[in-house]
């Protein structure tokens, strides 16, 4: 009961965009989907199945949680790639600045003008 109330509360706090946000289609074949629906409609027999019924209301939460985790991982990979590019650009800049810097040798050479 508490889990269902929690799921309802989470649903009320969703934005309109989150409420209509599509999820990836199931990877089950049509026959497997029909079997799953039939099994879900039948009353559970085992105690664990009874307990799992309480958590069905959190399905959208876990979908959104998984999507957020995948986005987090993608952003972390992008951040790492950008950090690597930043390091390369800094190294190139360091080499460029080292190549154009005025050293004591250049200052001591007589001017050609």
């Amino acid at each position: 009961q508490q889990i269902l109330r929690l799921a309802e509360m989470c649903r009320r706090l969703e934005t309109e965009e989150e409420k209509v946000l599509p999820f990836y289609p199931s990877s089950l074949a049509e026959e497997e989907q029909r079997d799953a629906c039939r099994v879900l409609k039948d009353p559970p027999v085992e105690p664990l199945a009874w307990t799992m019924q309480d958590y069905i209301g959190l399905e959208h939460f876990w979908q959104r949680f998984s999507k957020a985790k995948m986005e987090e991982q993608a952003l972390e990979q992008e951040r790492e790639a950008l950090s690597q590019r930043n390091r390369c650009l800094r190294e190139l800049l360091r080499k460029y600045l080292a190549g154009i810097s005025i050293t004591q040798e250049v200052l001591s050479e007589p001017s050609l003008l």
Side-chain angles (χ1 to χ4, degrees):
Q1 288 293 359
Q2 289 178 336
I3 294 170
L4 290 176
R5 278 189 240 127
L6 178 63
E8 290 172 11
M9 185 175 64
C10 289
R11 181 75 175 157
R12 283 191 301 253
L13 294 174
E14 289 177 346
T15 64
E16 287 300 315
E17 182 181 338
E18 289 173 329
K19 288 179 181 177
V20 297
L21 188 67
F23 286 101
Y24 299 107
S26 174
S27 60
L28 298 175
E30 283 186 44
E31 186 177 321
E32 291 171 324
Q33 286 181 355
R34 282 193 298 270
D35 291 342
C37 288
R38 187 171 9 91
V39 167
L40 288 174
K41 288 179 186 176
D42 294 339
V45 180
E46 300 174 12
L48 180 59
W50 277 106
T51 304
M52 289 180 64
Q53 286 291 106
D54 294 339
Y55 293 93
I56 288 177
L58 293 175
E59 184 176 345
H60 286 292
F61 166 78
W62 288 115
Q63 286 176 336
R64 294 193 193 293
F65 180 81
S66 297
K67 185 174 188 289
K69 281 303 223 182
M70 288 184 347
E71 288 176 1
E72 179 186 28
Q73 289 177 349
L75 289 171
E76 181 61 33
Q77 288 175 352
E78 183 178 354
R79 186 188 70 76
E80 184 56 39
L82 290 172
S83 293
Q84 178 64 29
R85 180 167 169 84
N86 187 25
R87 285 191 291 276
C88 289
L89 290 172
R90 284 179 181 268
E91 181 62 21
L92 286 172
L93 180 61
R94 187 189 63 74
K95 288 178 182 178
Y96 172 76
L97 291 175
I100 64 167
S101 65
I102 299 175
T103 62
Q104 201 58 24
E105 289 177 19
V106 173
L107 290 175
S108 63
E109 290 180 10
S111 176
L112 298 175
L113 296 176

